[in-house]
Amino acid sequence: HVQLVESGGGSVQAGGSLRLACVVTGYTYSAYCFAYFRQAPGKEREGIAFIDDHGRANYADSVKGRFTISKDSAELTVYLQMNSLKPEDSAMYYCAADRLCWPRADYAYWGQGTQVTVS
């Protein structure tokens, strides 16, 4: 039974930073991709950061250079460091997991989401 539990959201002023964490349990496949998506009200869920089991990371253009995804393989925790936050980054943020990385929001496993608000 795969579970993803997120933490770290909150409210911050523009230009500030937040770090999200996603603890993954029960994932036993050797191949994986962990990703962060976000969804603002009235908008589609958008994939913004991806990291695979080889440590290769990819980012959406909207966050490139500001956000960094990383993983602690020993604890199977995925982090999203968000710097230089902008009001347009405000959204519900979700972590997701599957065997391969792709940008569509149809991953097999999802966290519960954590709200990020930038004012």
Side-chain angles (χ1 to χ4, degrees), residues 3-17:
Q3 284 191 307
L4 287 72
V5 180
E6 302 179 51
S7 61
S11 297
V12 65
Q13 290 189 335
S17 299

Side-chain angles (χ1 to χ4, degrees), residues 28 30 36 108:
T28 59
S30 57
Y36 274 94

Side-chain angles (χ1 to χ4, degrees), residues 67-88:
F67 291 12
T68 303
I69 190 170
S70 61
K71 60 183 176 71
D72 181 331
S73 297
E75 298 182 357
L76 212 49
T77 301
V78 188
Y79 301 98
L80 184 67
Q81 178 67 43
M82 305 186 293
N83 298 329
S84 302
L85 283 161
K86 306 174 182 179
E88 53 262 44

Side-chain angles (χ1 to χ4, degrees), residues 24-48:
V24 183
T25 57
Y27 193 95
T28 59
Y29 301 109
S30 57
Y32 59 77
C33 175
F34 297 130
Y36 274 94
F37 286 74
R38 68 184 181 186
Q39 188 168 23
K43 295 191 176 181
E44 291 187 355
R45 193 168 293 191
E46 170 194 23
I48 58 170

Side-chain angles (χ1 to χ4, degrees), residues 1-6 22-37 45 47 49-53 69 71 76-78 93-113:
H1 180 59
V2 179
Q3 284 191 307
L4 287 72
V5 180
E6 302 179 51
C22 176
V23 177
V24 183
T25 57
Y27 193 95
T28 59
Y29 301 109
S30 57
Y32 59 77
C33 175
F34 297 130
Y36 274 94
F37 286 74
R45 193 168 293 191
F50 309 83
I51 189 165
D52 66 14
D53 51 303
I69 190 170
K71 60 183 176 71
L76 212 49
T77 301
V78 188
Y93 282 69
Y94 300 89
C95 64
D98 213 316
R99 296 192 191 191
L100 296 173
C101 288
W102 60 81
R104 300 186 311 275
D106 54 1
Y107 281 53
Y109 307 104
W110 291 88
Q112 80 282 6

Side-chain angles (χ1 to χ4, degrees), residues 53-69:
D53 51 303
H54 297 287
R56 295 173 295 203
N58 283 288
Y59 302 91
D61 288 343
S62 57
V63 306
K64 199 172 294 183
R66 300 186 299 122
F67 291 12
T68 303
I69 190 170

